Amino acid sequence: MSAPSTEFLYLSQEDVVAAGGTDMAAMIEVMARAFAVKAAGQVFMPPKVMITWSDGPGTEERDGRIMAMPAYVGGEFDVAGLKWIPSVPDNPERHGLPRANALVLLSDRETGLPLAIMDGTVVSAMRTGAVTGLAVRHLAVPGARSACLLGAGVLAHTQLEALRIAMPELAEVRVYDPRAGRCAAFCEQRSAATGLGVRPAATAAEAVRGAEVVVPATMAVDPTFAPEWLAEGATVVLVSSLDGPVELHAVTDLLVVDDWTHESTHEGRYAQRLVDAGVLAAAGPGVAELCDVVTGRHPGRASASDLVVVSPVGLALDDVTAAKHVLDRAREANLGTTLRLRSGPPVWE
Ligand SMILES: NC(=O)c1ccc[n+]([C@@H]2O[C@H](COP(=O)([O-])OP(=O)(O)OC[C@H]3O[C@@H](n4cnc5c(N)ncnc54)[C@H](O)[C@@H]3O)[C@@H](O)[C@H]2O)c1
């Protein structure tokens, strides 16, 4: 019996992009399929493992961290993987580098051999946008035309792209970031590229008021908006969790999390802070998981005036399925560099 090939594919960031890694419409469909597999109970996803440089609330946002996120995703994906993602908050200003620089490793479930190692920075930013797109498609008031972004960093790019697809009538986007230069450049570039009215706001309140969809993706360690600024029927997607004030829950009609266990065990995340503050008991009425909304097991928004809050803590499920999608496209297009785990027979077998 001949041993299986030990070759695997290395995909650089350019390869990931060439393989369609920045195609947001496709990525939203991948996330829809991924959450359907989760709803079918075919995902094994232990808690994230994190290296931090200090303790206490806000350490991730203030001091950075390295996170390891593994998952096996069954069903049509049938693949295991791991995202290794260091976050260095002052990378953009000090080094002109993205805050987060990630790698994704995919492994064959049957043999355990590596299938691919690829840039995870694009995969991670894209899947985060795509999960927002999926949530907004299911939960925002139909026909919504206005959105607000808090934060004008890397994630703002993929959030806006996802909103454009999930909100076909989107016309107006207001953006607030205390780094006014970064905010202005983002708005100018995105307006020109999309034809939407993407405008900087002087304050967070100005950005949030009247917006039908509000997406904070900031590095803030304290809440960035007040519940009373939110319009009736708004949908809030807490891409960065510390932005959400605990008081928000008192006026929330539906809270949707991507995974209750991950959300409530990840230090400082929104639902965990609600539980710690005693305003949320556990996953009960008023809390739904995104996979149930996507598959119709939960009805989602009950009325056009409801305030819906989505807290996607971010799952290895998202990364592994997004990376598998990229790997499949890369194989079809013959992209990437073939690497070998070993060239001869195994050392001991
Ligand atoms: N939920 C998920 O799945 C997921 C995935 C990836 C990243 N994230 C989170 O998204 C956030 C943004 O990531 P990024 O890569 O874009 O970071 P980034 O450093 O590129 O950009 C963050 C921006 O937030 C701005 N900011 C800081 N305080 C602010 C405030 N009070 N109001 C408005 N803007 C403020 C900063 O000036 C900066 O421009 C991070 O907190 C990250 O952890 C979440």
Side-chain angles (χ1 to χ4, degrees), residues 268-322:
R269 299 308 94 176
Y270 183 63
Q272 197 194 51
R273 285 188 290 118
L274 298 182
V275 171
D276 287 350
V279 299
L280 182 66
V287 182
E289 286 206 353
L290 184 58
C291 67
D292 292 329
V293 175
V294 168
T295 54
R297 279 204 301 229
H298 187 283
R301 166 186 290 281
S303 95
S305 61
D306 277 2
L307 175 65
V308 175
V309 176
V310 184
S311 185
V313 67
L315 304 173
L317 163 73
D318 318 342
D319 298 300
V320 168
T321 54

Side-chain angles (χ1 to χ4, degrees), residues 99 127-128 153-155 177-179 182 217-219 224 239 312 314:
R99 172 192 63 80
R127 66 71 152 158
T128 307
V154 167
L155 265 286
D177 190 309
R179 289 173 62 189
R182 195 180 200 192
T218 78
M219 287 298 282
T224 53
V239 172

Side-chain angles (χ1 to χ4, degrees), residues 38 41-50 67-74 79-83 127 258-266 313-320:
K38 183 178 191 299
Q42 295 173 311
V43 176
F44 183 74
M45 192 165 49
K48 303 168 181 183
V49 177
M50 189 130 53
M67 207 148 62
M69 300 168 60
Y72 165 72
V73 186
V79 68
L82 169 77
K83 178 173 73 171
R127 66 71 152 158
D258 51 1
D259 181 281
W260 174 257
T261 305
H262 283 255
E263 170 79 24
S264 58
T265 53
H266 187 145
V313 67
L315 304 173
L317 163 73
D318 318 342
D319 298 300
V320 168

Side-chain angles (χ1 to χ4, degrees), residues 170-260:
L170 180 65
E172 190 197 340
V173 184
R174 285 187 303 276
V175 188
Y176 172 72
D177 190 309
R179 289 173 62 189
R182 195 180 200 192
C183 189
F186 173 84
C187 293
E188 198 177 318
Q189 194 213 63
R190 290 294 91 203
S191 294
T194 62
L196 299 173
V198 185
R199 298 201 175 79
T203 63
E206 185 189 315
V208 170
R209 284 188 201 280
E212 290 158 287
V213 173
V214 176
V215 184
T218 78
M219 287 298 282
V221 294
D222 296 309
T224 53
F225 65 93
E228 57 270 24
W229 300 346
L230 294 167
E232 187 177 271
T235 302
V236 182
V237 185
L238 296 170
V239 172
S240 45
S241 318
L242 300 180
D243 295 63
V246 164
E247 301 73 41
L248 179 61
H249 195 62
V251 292
T252 299
D253 295 290
L254 175 65
L255 171 62
V256 178
V257 297
D258 51 1
D259 181 281
W260 174 257

Side-chain angles (χ1 to χ4, degrees), residues 60-136:
E60 264 191 76
E61 287 74 13
R62 223 184 318 260
D63 310 309
R65 44 81 179 152
I66 303 179
M67 207 148 62
M69 300 168 60
Y72 165 72
V73 186
E76 57 168 300
F77 294 96
D78 190 27
V79 68
L82 169 77
K83 178 173 73 171
W84 173 253
I85 181 159
S87 167
V88 180
D90 60 5
N91 250 356
E93 276 181 282
R94 277 191 66 192
H95 304 294
L97 287 169
R99 172 192 63 80
N101 294 278
L103 281 174
V104 178
L105 163 69
L106 294 179
S107 297
D108 183 86
R109 185 180 65 97
E110 198 182 327
T111 62
L113 287 169
L115 294 171
I117 293 178
M118 70 181 75
D119 166 73
T121 305
V122 168
V123 166
S124 187
M126 286 297 294
R127 66 71 152 158
T128 307
V131 170
T132 295
L134 184 65
V136 165

